């Protein structure tokens, strides 16, 4: 089944929710592709990277966020775990992991418990190269109306991230060869897995 067919199973054709999912997915897919190409030595699965970027937020349809035209039962923070379940049902377990592991810069069991997040207490950290690429590039885009394709600057991303995610993102700026002013990456760098 194609990406479009999977999206159509859960999103009403022509709806605002579908438009947001696709526009956001394309923005993340484009940047993930661009970042991946900085690493010709990496064995990037570009087809998977594109598909998983397009589907990573599919679970938003099960959440209640009227501004995203989504009228499900769950809080938005559940969009990753809902997406994981949907894509497992669709027989896409690798894509499903991207859904669960892309929230913020990934959240560990300890992060979930310490921050009191409404999530099951288990590690939801990006592990594969493609999972990390999507989690990283997703940080640069919001789903706010009119700003779907606007790439945030690294400084803007850092400003919005919770404190426990900032060192991970600062580390990623270096690891993913982002062109950024030194001032953004000098302090408190934690090497990520
Ligand atoms: Fe996203």
């Amino acid at each position: 089944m194609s990406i479009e067919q999977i999206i159509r199973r859960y999103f009403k054709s022509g709806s605002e929710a579908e438009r947001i999912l696709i526009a956001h997915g394309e923005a993340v897919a484009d940047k993930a592709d661009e970042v991946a190409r900085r690493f010709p030595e990496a064995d990037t699965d570009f087809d998977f990277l594109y598909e998983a970027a397009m589907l990573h937020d599919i679970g938003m349809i099960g959440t209640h966020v009227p501004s995203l035209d989504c009228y499900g039962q769950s809080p938005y923070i559940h969009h990753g775990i809902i997406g994981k379940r949907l894509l497992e049902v669709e027989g896409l377990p690798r894509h499903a992991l991207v859904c669960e592991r892309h929230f913020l810069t990934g959240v560990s069991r300890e992060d979930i418990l310490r921050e009191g997040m409404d999530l099951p207490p288990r590690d939801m950290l990006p592990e594969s190269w493609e999972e990390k690429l999507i989690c990283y590039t997703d940080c640069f885009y919001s789903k706010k109306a009119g700003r779907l394709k606007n790439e945030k600057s690294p400084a803007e991303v850092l400003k919005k991230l919770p404190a426990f995610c900032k060192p991970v993102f600062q580390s990623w700026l270096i690891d993913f060869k982002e062109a950024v002013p030194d001032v953004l990456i000098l302090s408190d760098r934690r090497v990520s897995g």
Side-chain angles (χ1 to χ4, degrees), residues 24 28 56-57 76 79 102 138 141 143:
H24 173 66
V28 174
H56 77 274
D57 274 333
Y76 184 71
H79 75 285
H102 84 276
D138 186 47
Y141 295 96
K143 288 192 279 302

Side-chain angles (χ1 to χ4, degrees), residues 7 9 20 26 38-39 46 75 82 89 91 99 113 121 128 135 138 140 142 144 152 161-162 174:
I7 293 173
R9 281 167 78 98
I20 292 168
E26 285 171 349
R38 295 173 195 163
F39 300 86
F46 283 98
I82 294 169
V89 168
C99 294
L113 293 172
S128 72
C135 189
D138 186 47
F140 288 88
S142 84
K144 292 211 178 84
K152 296 181 204 169
L161 281 173
I174 298 167

Side-chain angles (χ1 to χ4, degrees), residues 62-74:
T63 69
H64 190 84
V65 187
S67 62
L68 298 179
D69 190 30
C70 293
Y71 298 92
Q73 306 277 314
S74 301

Side-chain angles (χ1 to χ4, degrees), residues 35-44 129 133 174-177:
V35 175
R37 288 182 196 284
R38 295 173 195 163
F39 300 86
E41 72 285 3
D43 191 18
T44 306
W129 170 238
L133 280 166
I174 298 167
D175 297 344
F176 288 112
K177 301 183 184 174

Side-chain angles (χ1 to χ4, degrees), residues 122-193:
R122 60 172 181 259
D123 286 341
M124 301 184 186
L125 298 162
E127 290 181 16
S128 72
W129 170 238
E130 289 83 3
E131 286 167 9
K132 286 180 184 169
L133 280 166
I134 292 170
C135 189
Y136 171 65
T137 52
D138 186 47
C139 293
F140 288 88
Y141 295 96
S142 84
K143 288 192 279 302
K144 292 211 178 84
R147 285 194 239 158
L148 285 159
K149 299 279 185 175
N150 292 8
E151 182 175 336
K152 296 181 204 169
S153 70
E156 288 171 318
V157 175
L158 270 172
K159 210 166 124 190
K160 286 279 167 72
L161 281 173
F164 74 94
C165 296
K166 290 182 201 285
V168 181
F169 187 75
Q170 284 170 310
S171 172
W172 281 353
L173 290 173
I174 298 167
D175 297 344
F176 288 112
K177 301 183 184 174
E178 208 67 49
V180 288
D182 283 352
V183 67
L184 293 181
I185 53 180
L186 284 178
S187 64
D188 197 25
R189 179 171 186 243
R190 187 173 83 193
V191 177
S192 65

